[in-house]
C-alpha cells in the first residue's frame, strides 16, 4: 500500500519485547525498565495476526527487533510461522548477538534470512563499558560462525564521539575479506541519548574522511544506507545518516512495538493502539491502513522546535 505521499510501504519492524540482556548507555537507563506483565505485551498469536494483515496490505519484509529479540520465549517458532505467511519474502532480525550462538542453527532452519548484528566496538573493555557489563567474546564467536555459514550479515555500528571514532578504520577493514555490510549509524537524540552532549553526535561523513571508499550504486531505494566499498573489498560500508541526510523521501516502513502500538514514524510520538483493537474485536486492517496513511512527510529532527520522542529505543525497536 502507498502512503499519502505516494511512498510504497512494504517493510515492518516488529518489536517482540522491550526487555534486554544489555544496558547500552545510549539506549537504556542503567536501572533497566519497569517490567511489563505478559498481559501488557503482544501475544505470539497477536503478532502473527498483525503480520498476516500487514502482508495483505503489501508488507513484504519483516525485521524482528526489541529490546533484545532473542530473549523472547518462542522466538524460533515465531520466525518459522512468519516465514510461512503469504507475501513475506524476507525475514531478518536485529540482535546484540549475546544469545545468538546457541540459537543460530535453529533460527536459520526456521527460515531467518539475515542477521543485523549491533556492535559498537571491537575492544572488549570498551564493549563492557558501553553495554554496561556485556562480554564481547560470544558476539565475536557468533559473528565468525555466521560468516562460516555464509549467511548474510550486516553489522550496525552507532558512531559515538569520544568512544569509537578511532575504530572506524578497523570496522571498515572487516569488509575487506568478508562479504558483509558494515553500517555506521548516526547516534539519534532518542531516549537516553537525548540528554547527551553535542560532541557525542558525529556525522556519518566522518567515515568518508577516515577511510578511502568508493561509492556503490544500489537499486534498493528503500534502504536508509548509502553504500561504499574499499577498492579491493568483498563487502560494503553503509552510512545511515538520519540526521545529517534524512532519508524520509524514500521511507518504506512502519513499526509495531511490543506493547502493540503501531508507529507510522520513528521520530514521532503518534501511535495507534493495535493491542486494544485486537482485544476488543476492532478492525485491525483499518487501523494498519490508517497508520500507513498517516505517515508524516519527514521527521523534524533538524527543526528548532524539535522535541525528542518519549519512548527509549528499546521500547520501539531500532
Ligand atoms: N537489542 C537489539 C540490538 O541491539 O541489536 C535490537 C534492539 S536495538 C534498540 C536496535 C538498534 O538500535 C541497535 O543497533 C542500537 O545500536 C540502535 N540504537 C539504540 N539507540 C539508538 C540511538 N539513540 N541512536 C542510534 N541508534 C540507536
Ligand atoms: Fe539492548 Fe539493543 Fe538497547 Fe543495547 S541497543 S540496550 S542491546 S536494546
Amino acid at each position: 500500500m502507498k502512503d499519502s505521499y505516494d511512498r510504497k510501504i512494504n517493510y515492518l519492524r516488529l518489536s517482540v519485547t522491550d526487555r534486554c540482556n544489555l544496558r547500552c548507555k545510549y539506549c537504556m537507563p542503567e536501572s533497566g525498565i519497569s517490567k511489563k506483565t505478559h498481559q501488557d505485551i503482544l501475544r505470539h498469536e497477536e503478532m502473527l495476526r498483525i503480520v498476516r494483515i500487514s502482508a495483505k496490505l503489501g508488507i513484504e519484509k519483516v525485521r524482528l527487533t526489541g529490546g533484545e529479540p532473542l530473549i523472547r520465549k518462542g522466538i524460533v517458532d515465531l520466525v518459522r510461522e512468519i516465514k510461512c505467511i503469504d507475501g513475506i519474502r524476507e525475514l531478518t532480525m536485529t540482535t546484540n548477538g549475546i544469545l545468538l550462538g546457541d540459537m543460530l542453527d535453529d533460527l536459520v532452519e526456521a527460515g531467518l534470512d539475515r542477521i543485523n548484528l549491533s556492535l559498537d566496538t571491537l575492544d572488549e573493555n570498551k564493549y563492557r563499558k558501553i553495554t554496561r557489563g556485556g562480554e564481547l567474546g560470544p558476539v565475536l564467536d557468533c559473528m565468525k560462525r555466521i560468516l562460516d555459514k555464509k549467511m548474510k550479515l550486516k553489522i550496525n555500528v552507532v558512531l559515538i564521539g569520544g568512544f569509537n571514532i578511532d575504530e572506524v578504520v578497523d570496522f571498515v577493514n572487516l569488509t575487506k575479506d568478508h562479504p558483509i555490510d558494515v553500517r555506521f549509524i548516526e547516534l539519534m537524540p532518542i531516549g537516553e541519548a537525548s540528554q547527551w552532549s553535542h560532541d557525542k553526535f558525529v556525522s556519518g561523513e566522518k567515515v568518508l574522511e577516515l577511510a578511502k571508499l568508493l561509492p556503490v550504486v544500489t537499486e534498493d531505494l528503500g534502504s536508509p544506507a548509502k553504500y561504499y566499498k574499499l577498492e579491493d573489498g568483498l563487502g560494503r560500508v553503509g552510512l545511515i545518516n538520519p540526521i545529517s541526510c534524512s532519508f524520509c523521501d524514500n521511507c518504506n516502513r512502519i513499526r509495531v512495538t511490543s506493547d502493540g502500538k503501531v508507529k507510522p514514524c520513528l521520530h514521532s510520538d503518534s501511535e495507534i493502539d493495535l493491542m486494544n483493537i485486537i482485544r476488543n474485536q476492532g478492525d485491525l486492517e483499518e487501523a494498519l491502513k490508517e497508520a500507513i496513511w498517516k505517515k508524516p512527510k519527514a521527521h523534524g529532527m533538524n527543526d528548532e522546535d524539535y522535541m525528542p520522542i518519549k519512548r527509549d529505543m528499546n521500547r520501539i525497536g531500532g
Side-chain angles (χ1 to χ4, degrees):
M1 167 175 170
K2 289 202 169 172
D3 72 2
S4 59
Y5 298 98
D6 207 34
R7 293 172 296 197
K8 184 177 169 194
I9 307 304
N10 62 0
Y11 183 7
L12 169 68
R13 293 243 179 121
L14 178 63
S15 174
V16 298
T17 177
D18 59 356
R19 295 171 59 191
C20 188
N21 47 358
L22 294 180
R23 296 278 178 276
C24 298
K25 286 184 174 169
Y26 52 81
C27 178
M28 268 218 184
E30 186 162 18
S31 53
I33 47 162
S34 51
K35 274 195 185 142
K36 290 201 160 58
T37 64
H38 284 306
Q39 186 64 16
D40 295 329
I41 61 165
L42 287 172
R43 299 181 195 117
H44 188 103
E45 202 34 64
E46 290 170 335
M47 289 190 280
L48 286 174
R49 204 172 144 214
I50 289 171
V51 180
R52 262 186 231 112
I53 294 186
S54 301
K56 228 174 111 185
L57 296 177
I59 296 293
E60 299 167 312
K61 293 197 280 182
V62 176
R63 194 199 289 184
L64 301 175
T65 179
E68 174 48 40
L70 293 180
I71 66 174
R72 171 86 196 218
K73 226 171 138 203
I75 188 74
V76 174
D77 290 337
L78 188 68
V79 165
R80 184 174 294 107
E81 283 157 300
I82 291 179
K83 200 58 200 289
C84 291
I85 292 175
D86 265 355
I88 300 301
R89 56 176 182 80
E90 188 180 87
L91 179 57
T92 65
M93 178 183 288
T94 301
T95 169
N96 59 34
I98 296 282
L99 297 175
L100 194 55
D102 287 344
M103 299 170 86
L104 184 62
D105 291 343
D106 289 346
L107 288 165
V108 172
E109 179 273 323
L112 192 69
D113 294 303
R114 196 184 64 227
I115 301 281
N116 285 22
L117 191 63
S118 301
L119 184 61
D120 301 328
T121 174
L122 298 166
D123 176 290
E124 59 183 51
N125 289 323
K126 283 165 78 177
Y127 188 80
R128 239 176 254 129
K129 199 168 151 202
I130 195 76
T131 60
R132 296 197 184 96
E135 289 300 324
L136 179 62
V139 182
L140 294 183
D141 289 348
C142 195
M143 191 170 112
K144 191 171 172 312
R145 280 188 55 208
I146 296 172
L147 293 173
D148 290 345
K149 272 183 169 299
K150 307 235 176 306
M151 191 178 176
K152 288 184 191 162
L153 173 65
K154 291 186 180 178
I155 298 178
N156 289 342
V157 185
V158 177
L159 287 169
I160 307 168
F163 177 72
N164 61 3
I165 309 304
D166 57 337
E167 292 186 71
V168 162
V169 173
D170 296 338
F171 274 111
V172 166
N173 283 341
L174 292 177
T175 67
K176 201 168 180 182
D177 300 324
H178 304 294
I180 58 176
D181 287 352
V182 170
R183 308 190 312 166
F184 294 96
I185 305 175
E186 287 178 351
L187 179 67
M188 293 179 282
I190 295 180
E192 291 295 292
S194 64
Q195 312 298 327
W196 283 19
S197 57
H198 278 295
D199 56 322
K200 299 274 190 288
F201 294 82
V202 174
S203 163
E205 293 297 310
K206 186 78 189 168
V207 173
L208 300 179
E209 283 171 30
L210 294 169
K212 204 162 172 262
L213 295 167
L214 306 169
V216 174
V217 180
T218 52
E219 305 278 288
D220 186 2
L221 283 182
S223 168
K226 258 198 198 159
Y227 281 102
Y228 299 82
K229 67 189 283 297
L230 286 167
E231 194 173 11
D232 53 351
L234 293 181
R236 302 185 301 175
V237 175
L239 299 187
I240 303 185
N241 300 345
I243 299 176
S244 66
C245 176
S246 133
F247 35 79
C248 303
D249 284 351
N250 293 319
C251 186
N252 61 351
R253 66 203 58 186
I254 51 170
R255 293 178 151 82
V256 173
T257 64
S258 57
D259 58 354
K261 312 286 191 299
V262 57
K263 284 181 74 67
C265 171
L266 170 62
H267 300 286
S268 158
D269 282 319
S270 154
E271 302 176 343
I272 298 176
D273 189 346
L274 300 183
M275 185 190 275
N276 185 35
I277 289 168
I278 294 174
R279 293 185 186 173
N280 292 294
Q281 283 74 48
D283 192 334
L284 183 57
E285 183 168 333
E286 270 314 306
L288 283 163
K289 278 185 186 165
E290 186 187 338
I292 292 175
W293 195 250
K294 271 193 168 166
K295 263 181 82 66
K297 188 168 191 305
H299 70 61
M301 274 196 293
N302 296 317
D303 298 351
E304 261 178 29
D305 57 352
Y306 173 73
M307 293 290 289
I309 53 168
K310 296 196 181 75
R311 280 179 184 260
D312 288 339
M313 271 305 261
N314 67 292
R315 293 184 52 239
I316 304 173

